[in-house]
Amino acid sequence: MNRKPLLGIVGGLGPLASAYFYELITLRTKAEKDQDHIDIILSSRASTPDRTAYITKKSDDCPLPYMIEDAVRLEKYGADALVIPCNTAHYFLEEVRHSVSIPVPSIIEETSAYLKKAGYKKAGIMATAGTVSSGSYQEQLSSFGLDYAVPDEKYQEYLHDLIYGSVKKGEKPNLYKFYAIAEHLIQKGCDKLILGCTELSVINRDIGGDKIFIDSLEVLAHCAITLCGHETTGFPEEFDL
């Protein structure tokens, strides 16, 4: 039996975003039949403690042991690489990497590298308070020589409401707030806006996409497909730079 590369997904962070990520990989892999697709094992541990609550010290319940347990289980199952479709979880990435012996690409590094290669100059960071406060995107963008801006407090609260008050609850988001945040960051001189929370990726899917945004979940899907040796389809040409 010829064994294909097996992709492991550390999911459930949150569940809807993980389901959309699996859908993205399936839709964007060039295939003519079932057997042309990537072999995937998805662990969707929705009970993993909230990443933002821990990072912002609103909770002592650490997500890391859950993430490491899932990563180790996926490797033991036979995964040849792991991906984590959650930007806030990047805070724990190095510890997860040290727990396994297979590649674990970074959604934040891949998104920042894309922006550099595509020629953008200043990125607006639309992400959870946990991601923003950790400085994960700020540090990575700076390492690529890119400028960035984060939302003012009012608009960061808008983001929290969109993520936690809408998408994670399965409710319809307030698109006025979504576009108000975007306009706010454009006014700060940003030429591209990072959807740096995978719940925001779900909103972007539902509105049909907008060229001002770079969807970190799409970037990670492209990375995962190519990492497994498959051809992609349906991505903007910029993704293949």
Side-chain angles (χ1 to χ4, degrees):
M1 183 173 65
N2 294 324
R3 183 179 178 280
K4 295 169 59 178
L6 178 63
L7 177 69
I9 301 176
V10 180
L13 315 173
L16 182 57
S18 295
Y20 177 40
F21 181 65
Y22 179 76
E23 179 183 343
L24 266 177
I25 290 177
T26 305
L27 291 173
R28 301 292 178 85
T29 299
K30 191 172 184 180
E32 294 184 359
K33 58 184 183 297
D34 290 349
Q35 292 74 24
D36 293 336
H37 283 279
I38 297 171
D39 287 341
I40 293 173
I41 176 170
L42 166 61
S43 174
S44 184
R45 192 185 291 209
S47 57
T48 304
D50 187 80
R51 283 64 61 199
T52 291
Y54 181 79
I55 294 169
T56 58
K57 303 187 186 309
K58 294 180 179 177
S59 170
D60 294 326
D61 201 357
C62 182
L64 181 58
Y66 298 77
M67 293 172 61
I68 287 177
E69 185 177 41
D70 282 354
V72 170
R73 282 178 173 176
L74 290 168
E75 183 179 29
K76 286 181 177 179
Y77 187 87
D80 298 291
L82 299 178
V83 286
I84 307 172
C86 174
N87 287 269
T88 312
H90 181 278
Y91 183 83
F92 309 98
L93 183 66
E94 289 308 314
E95 290 92 337
V96 174
R97 281 175 168 169
H98 290 152
S99 72
V100 294
S101 58
I102 54 179
V104 189
S106 160
I107 188 172
I108 291 180
E109 182 178 355
E110 294 295 331
T111 301
S112 300
Y114 160 83
L115 290 166
K116 177 67 174 180
K117 287 186 286 187
Y120 295 104
K121 304 299 182 185
K122 185 173 182 178
I125 302 169
M126 296 174 64
T128 64
T131 299
V132 172
S133 66
S134 72
S136 299
Y137 264 112
Q138 296 92 313
E139 181 180 345
Q140 198 70 71
L141 290 166
S142 295
S143 74
F144 283 103
L146 299 172
D147 197 4
Y148 59 82
V150 298
D152 294 348
E153 183 177 356
K154 169 185 172 182
Y155 295 97
Q156 190 61 48
E157 289 177 359
Y158 279 6
L159 276 167
H160 182 87
D161 181 61
L162 287 166
I163 296 164
Y164 286 90
S166 299
V167 180
K168 284 185 179 293
K169 290 183 176 181
E171 296 179 1
K172 194 171 182 178
N174 184 328
L175 292 182
Y176 165 79
K177 289 185 176 181
F178 184 69
Y179 284 112
I181 301 160
E183 182 60 31
H184 168 65
L185 291 170
I186 292 169
Q187 291 297 320
K188 288 192 171 194
C190 298
D191 56 357
K192 199 72 168 179
L193 307 182
I194 300 169
L195 297 178
C197 174
T198 51
E199 273 74 28
L200 299 179
S201 303
V202 175
I203 296 176
N204 193 50
R205 175 198 67 184
D206 292 345
I207 63 174
D210 190 311
K211 289 185 178 180
I212 192 61
F213 301 116
I214 173 63
D215 184 350
S216 61
L217 202 61
E218 286 193 5
V219 173
L220 188 64
H222 187 277
C223 172
I225 294 165
T226 55
L227 185 64
C228 291
H230 287 249
E231 289 187 60
T232 63
T233 186
F235 287 99
E237 290 182 7
E238 292 176 333
F239 276 71
D240 293 317
L241 289 171

